[in-house]
Amino acid sequence: MEQKVILHFDLKAGSGKSTMAALETYLLARMKERVLLIDLDPSAVSTHAIQKTFSIANDTSKNVFQGLKDGDLNSQVLDVQENLAIIPGSLRINLWSPIVTAANDDDAGRILTNLIANIHRKFSYILLDVPARWDMLSMNALIASNFVFLLLENQKSSFSLFSEAAHHLADFREASDASFTVSGIVPLLSRGSLTQPDNQRFLTDARASFGQAVLHNVIWNQERIKVFTDEGISAKAAWDQRALDMYQRVLNEELTRIG
């Protein structure tokens, strides 16, 4: 089976996309899928969550910046379990400039695509985590992806920022001749419960605006998620499992959409 490269994309910082990358990596591995997480976010939140979950020591010799700098990601793959691996994030990725090493602008946008294609081991899924900004790093990640899921948060500024991101994405896809598919929109309820009237209105408005693109399943704020990112993902307690079940439902719907 050809590996599927998945990216959750948002221009709003703090929306939870790094948490989603870590949790979906964990869940895919639990489903016995071979999965690789490539952490391109200088905050390295998803890297930290996976390391804490599996008690992996921080190996500073392996990181995504070194792989991009050397033009080879193979030596930077850190095995976590038999079917789970990561390429750890690094603050130094802010120093990486594809323009320096590329022959032209088109090549600069496809460096990550080529490096992923040259990874020796085959994974069923590769998840990319990028910072919430529009730059050459995000463009590389978009071009390298097969499937992109957009995140829509229930805040006043979210609809306008989301629309801006969606227009950027459409224009960029056409201009760069990229082949990624926007496979859906994940609703994020950053405050309140799922049944709260304001959140129900938000979901109704989102589905009225974007139709079937909006996933049926929703991510809503739970204190347990903060524990996952700080202390590692756990499935021991009932509240752990409740949070994991929420992400599992979203992941299942995403996998159904991408086929």
Side-chain angles (χ1 to χ4, degrees):
M1 181 180 69
E2 184 179 355
Q3 59 193 13
K4 297 174 180 178
V5 183
I6 301 173
L7 171 68
H8 292 90
F9 187 72
D10 188 12
L11 288 179
K12 184 180 181 300
S15 64
K17 59 177 183 48
S18 293
T19 301
M20 181 168 287
L23 280 162
E24 291 198 351
T25 297
Y26 170 89
L27 291 169
L28 284 165
R30 196 169 71 165
M31 294 164 64
K32 308 303 181 185
E33 299 286 358
R34 288 182 56 80
V35 57
L36 171 67
L37 169 65
I38 302 179
D39 189 354
L40 298 156
D41 193 326
S43 68
V45 169
S46 54
T47 294
H48 178 78
I50 294 296
Q51 288 175 331
K52 282 288 187 180
T53 300
F54 296 100
S55 300
I56 303 297
N58 184 23
D59 183 355
T60 56
S61 68
K62 290 183 182 290
N63 62 80
V64 71
F65 170 74
Q66 195 63 47
L68 292 172
K69 181 183 175 184
D70 295 343
D72 181 14
L73 293 177
N74 287 290
S75 61
Q76 307 306 316
V77 176
L78 178 64
D79 290 310
V80 177
Q81 289 185 316
E82 182 180 357
N83 62 327
L84 192 164
I86 65 173
I87 299 180
S90 169
L91 182 61
R92 290 190 298 159
I93 199 167
N94 284 323
L95 304 175
W96 180 65
S97 174
I99 301 296
V100 173
T101 56
N104 53 56
D105 288 349
D106 186 60
D107 288 346
R110 297 182 183 275
I111 290 176
L112 185 59
T113 302
N114 296 331
L115 293 181
I116 288 176
N118 289 327
I119 292 177
H120 296 158
R121 281 176 287 171
K122 294 300 179 185
F123 296 91
S124 301
Y125 297 94
I126 296 178
L127 273 64
L128 306 180
D129 185 20
V130 296
R133 62 188 188 220
W134 191 263
D135 59 7
M136 284 300 297
L137 186 61
S138 295
M139 294 177 192
N140 261 267
L142 285 164
I143 292 174
S145 301
N146 306 127
F147 307 99
V148 175
F149 288 91
L150 304 179
L151 306 184
L152 177 59
E153 194 175 359
N154 63 330
Q155 293 191 2
K156 290 181 179 179
S157 60
S158 290
F159 271 100
S160 58
L161 188 60
F162 178 87
S163 298
E164 179 184 349
H167 282 111
H168 267 304
L169 210 58
D171 292 343
F172 173 72
R173 186 179 187 277
E174 182 177 355
S176 63
D177 196 28
S179 59
F180 64 82
T181 300
V182 178
S183 301
I185 299 170
V186 183
L188 300 173
L189 306 181
S190 59
R191 61 184 187 279
S193 67
L194 181 62
T195 57
Q196 187 173 320
D198 285 350
N199 285 334
Q200 285 298 306
R201 281 194 293 272
F202 163 77
L203 292 172
T204 298
D205 291 345
R207 292 184 172 118
S209 298
F210 307 112
Q212 295 299 314
V214 180
L215 268 63
H216 173 73
N217 291 285
V218 178
I219 300 295
W220 69 92
N221 182 48
Q222 296 186 34
E223 287 300 315
R224 183 62 56 174
I225 305 303
K226 296 178 182 178
V227 177
F228 286 168
T229 53
D230 291 339
E231 302 176 10
I233 303 164
S234 171
K236 294 179 181 178
W239 283 101
D240 294 334
Q241 196 56 57
R242 180 181 178 185
L244 288 175
D245 286 346
M246 175 179 67
Y247 278 90
Q248 184 70 64
R249 289 190 292 271
V250 170
L251 174 60
N252 290 344
E253 186 172 359
E254 289 179 346
L255 296 181
T256 298
R257 285 180 177 238
I258 69 179

